[in-house]
Amino acid sequence: MSIEVEVALCLAPRQVLVWQQVLPAGACLHQAVAIATAQWQQHASSLPQEVVEATLAGPALAHWLWGVWGRIVPPEQVLVSGDRVEAYRPLLVDPKVARRERFARQGARGTGLFSKKRDNAKPGY
C-alpha cells in the first residue's frame, strides 16, 4: 500500500515547484525530503540558471525547514495520503529590519493612514 502527497518547493519569489509524490505507507517526513531533494535535482535543469545558483549558494535543501500544511513538524512525523509537504527557505532579511530600513528611506510623511490626502480636504482627512 502507498500514499500520495503533494510536495511544494519555493526556490525564489514566485518560483514554486509543485508535484505529486508516491511514498510507501507509514513514510516519515525525512523520507519525503530525501526523495524531494532528488526530484529537485531533476527539475534544476529546466529552471533559470540564477535560481539554481541562488539555491545552491544557500544551505542545502535537506537543511531547510520542512513542514506539512504550513506547520513545521519534526522529521519523524508520519505522513498520510493527501498531505502537502512544504519546504521553507531561510529569510534573506529580517522583516523587522526591512520595515525599519523602508521607514528610514521614506520618512514619516509618506507612511500611515493619511499619507495621501485629497485636495481641499479638512486637516486629518
Side-chain angles (χ1 to χ4, degrees):
M1 187 164 178
S2 61
I3 60 171
E4 188 172 325
V5 297
E6 183 178 66
V7 178
L9 183 62
C10 180
L11 301 173
R14 296 177 186 86
Q15 289 264 341
V16 181
L17 295 175
V18 180
W19 67 89
Q20 298 294 324
Q21 190 168 303
V22 178
L23 299 169
C28 297
L29 179 63
H30 65 85
Q31 293 169 323
V33 169
I35 295 171
T37 304
Q39 288 280 339
W40 175 81
Q41 291 170 348
Q42 291 176 355
H43 288 294
S45 61
S46 65
L47 294 172
Q49 188 62 30
E50 59 271 3
V51 172
V52 175
E53 289 173 1
T55 305
L56 294 176
L61 287 178
H63 298 294
W64 287 12
L65 292 176
W66 289 80
V68 176
W69 288 111
R71 295 183 186 252
I72 297 171
V73 296
E76 301 82 29
Q77 174 78 28
V78 176
L79 300 174
V80 296
S81 189
D83 275 349
R84 179 182 168 100
V85 176
E86 302 167 338
Y88 309 112
R89 59 189 164 97
L91 294 175
L92 301 177
V93 179
D94 181 19
K96 290 181 182 179
V97 173
R99 184 175 184 274
R100 280 190 212 112
E101 290 174 356
R102 190 170 52 250
F103 183 80
R105 278 194 315 270
Q106 294 175 350
R109 296 191 62 158
T111 61
L113 292 173
F114 305 110
S115 62
K116 296 186 187 215
K117 297 180 181 176
R118 296 180 297 156
D119 294 335
N120 301 326
K122 297 180 196 174
Y125 287 93

